[in-house]
Amino acid sequence: MYFSLNILILAGLCCLLHSCDAQVKSKSPSLSERVQQLTELTLKKSVLRLNSAKFKEYVKATPRNYSVIVMFTALTPQRQCSICRHANDEFLIVANSFRYSQAFSNKLFFTMVDFDEGADVFQMLRLNTAPIFMHFPPKGKVKSSDTFDIQRLGFGAESLARWIAERTDVQIRVFRPPSYSGTMALITLFALVAGFLYLRRNNLDFLYNKTLWGIAAVFFCLAMISGQMWNHIRGPPFVHRSQSGGVAYIHGSSQGQFVLETYIVIVLNSAVVMGMIMMTDAAGRKNCDVRMRQILVCVGLAIVAIFFSVILSIFRSKAHSYPYSFLFK
């Protein structure tokens, strides 16, 4: 009798647990419902902001037939993450480019998780820094290649789009919002030059000054070889805050360059050019004292050697496989 009673109680508990499990499963949205919800939200906003519950529902839930690109960041002002704001701007450019392109589909979604809204997600994935870009594939586990290498590739929109194409086979053509600041600066410069030439229209002998044109050509070459066009295209930050909390002035990869780094390269190249000019000028001075010419040559040679070695050292720090050095390692 007691055995029969225990069997009945056990059967009743099994039925209760089964009904509770069925209710829980019925409350969680199905795959089609999740895809529909994500598509509708994406049509309103390119990057979906997820908390812990939404991350588990849309990103970690299975089955899943879509890829999710997640940016883990810390955008609240008290975090003082300047690089997070720049990375968020580039990430938004990629998401908007995908949303308004012909490649848009319900197979790829862009989301973000802020540390202050999903700290347990950071803890679950063992993330201790920001920003981090991760790809969650439709099937299988997240691999090491599903984490974007910011240190090597930077976080420019074009680099992100290429990485996304490698992971998802979705080709995204990046469309940056138009910026008229460069156009206005160019128009202002032409207006100033035209006004100056008009005021000096009766005395334009300076236009035939070879020294003036030589200086202008040198400045143009220095600007081009320093990476000014790279910065204009990529739009990198002025400096970068490293994971240890310090400030990095030189990018750690040959695929990236900071704005301040460009100015440093200009100064170093200018010093090398100045040393070459001193040696060339000393060789051309026939009526000058020999002692003075030797001093100019030695000083120019020392300047070229020192500053060229600094440039080479910076290149070695960015191209880690480069084996050669000159004075400084």
Side-chain angles (χ1 to χ4, degrees):
M1 178 178 179
Y2 290 104
F3 180 75
S4 301
L5 182 61
N6 290 333
I7 293 296
L8 291 175
I9 293 174
L10 183 60
L13 290 174
C14 290
C15 292
L16 181 62
L17 291 174
H18 180 72
S19 62
C20 292
D21 184 63
Q23 290 179 0
V24 171
K25 289 184 177 180
S26 62
K27 290 182 180 179
S28 60
S30 62
L31 175 60
S32 59
E33 291 175 342
R34 281 187 279 123
V35 172
Q36 183 179 0
Q37 292 172 5
L38 286 171
T39 304
E40 292 176 354
L41 292 173
T42 302
L43 292 176
K44 298 178 182 178
K45 198 171 184 180
S46 300
V47 178
L48 308 181
R49 201 178 186 107
L50 304 180
N51 53 22
S52 301
K54 294 296 183 182
F55 178 82
K56 295 176 182 178
E57 178 180 347
Y58 293 122
V59 180
K60 297 297 290 184
T62 55
R64 192 173 65 249
N65 62 354
Y66 53 86
S67 295
V68 184
I69 307 297
V70 184
M71 178 180 66
F72 298 93
T73 184
L75 292 175
T76 51
Q78 60 266 26
R79 298 297 173 186
Q80 297 181 354
C81 182
S82 59
I83 188 176
C84 292
R85 294 192 295 270
H86 294 293
N88 180 62
D89 294 338
E90 296 296 313
F91 188 62
L92 188 60
I93 289 174
V94 179
N96 285 331
S97 300
F98 173 69
R99 176 185 173 187
Y100 297 108
S101 68
Q102 296 180 352
F104 177 76
S105 67
N106 58 2
K107 299 301 180 182
L108 176 64
F109 298 100
F110 291 82
T111 64
M112 64 173 293
V113 177
D114 193 275
F115 179 79
D116 294 289
E117 298 174 0
D120 54 342
V121 178
F122 278 73
Q123 185 177 3
M124 177 179 63
L125 299 175
R126 298 179 181 179
L127 304 178
N128 54 9
T129 185
I132 293 178
F133 299 96
M134 293 185 65
H135 165 243
F136 291 84
K139 297 179 181 178
K141 297 181 179 180
V142 177
K143 304 176 182 178
S144 59
S145 56
D146 287 315
T147 301
F148 184 67
D149 191 353
I150 293 181
Q151 297 296 329
R152 186 174 63 88
L153 302 175
F155 49 80
E158 291 78 10
S159 299
L160 281 170
R162 286 193 294 268
W163 170 70
I164 293 172
E166 293 174 358
R167 306 311 307 159
T168 65
D169 292 330
V170 177
Q171 302 293 332
I172 302 176
R173 182 181 178 185
V174 176
F175 294 96
R176 290 186 174 273
S179 176
Y180 300 101
S181 58
T183 304
M184 293 302 299
L186 188 61
I187 293 175
T188 303
L189 177 62
F190 274 112
L192 291 175
V193 171
F196 178 76
L197 292 177
Y198 177 77
L199 294 176
R200 296 290 301 272
R201 60 186 182 275
N202 296 326
N203 186 11
L204 298 178
D205 294 337
F206 68 93
L207 293 177
Y208 303 97
N209 191 325
K210 296 181 179 180
T211 304
L212 179 64
W213 284 106
I215 294 174
V218 169
F219 276 108
F220 178 78
C221 293
L222 290 175
M224 290 298 103
I225 66 176
S226 65
Q228 288 289 338
M229 292 305 298
W230 176 288
N231 290 345
H232 180 72
I233 296 172
R234 295 292 183 90
F238 188 77
V239 293
H240 171 64
R241 188 172 296 277
S242 61
Q243 297 180 358
S244 61
V247 178
Y249 305 104
I250 305 297
H251 198 283
S253 170
S254 58
Q255 301 298 319
Q257 186 178 33
F258 301 133
V259 175
L260 183 59
E261 182 181 349
T262 302
Y263 301 151
I264 294 174
V265 173
I266 288 179
V267 172
L268 295 177
N269 283 327
S270 300
V272 173
V273 171
M274 183 62 65
M276 294 296 297
I277 291 176
M278 291 178 64
M279 289 190 292
T280 305
D281 186 63
R285 291 186 179 184
K286 301 299 183 181
N287 299 326
C288 184
D289 183 40
V290 176
R291 183 69 177 174
M292 180 59 65
R293 293 170 60 187
Q294 292 176 348
I295 293 175
L296 289 175
V297 170
C298 292
V299 172
L301 182 60
I303 292 175
V304 171
I306 292 173
F307 286 97
F308 180 76
S309 180
V310 174
I311 295 176
L312 195 60
S313 300
I314 294 176
F315 181 76
R316 278 171 55 94
S317 67
K318 297 170 70 68
H320 304 286
S321 60
Y322 189 76
Y324 305 107
S325 63
F326 187 44
L327 296 177
F328 306 107
K329 294 184 178 181

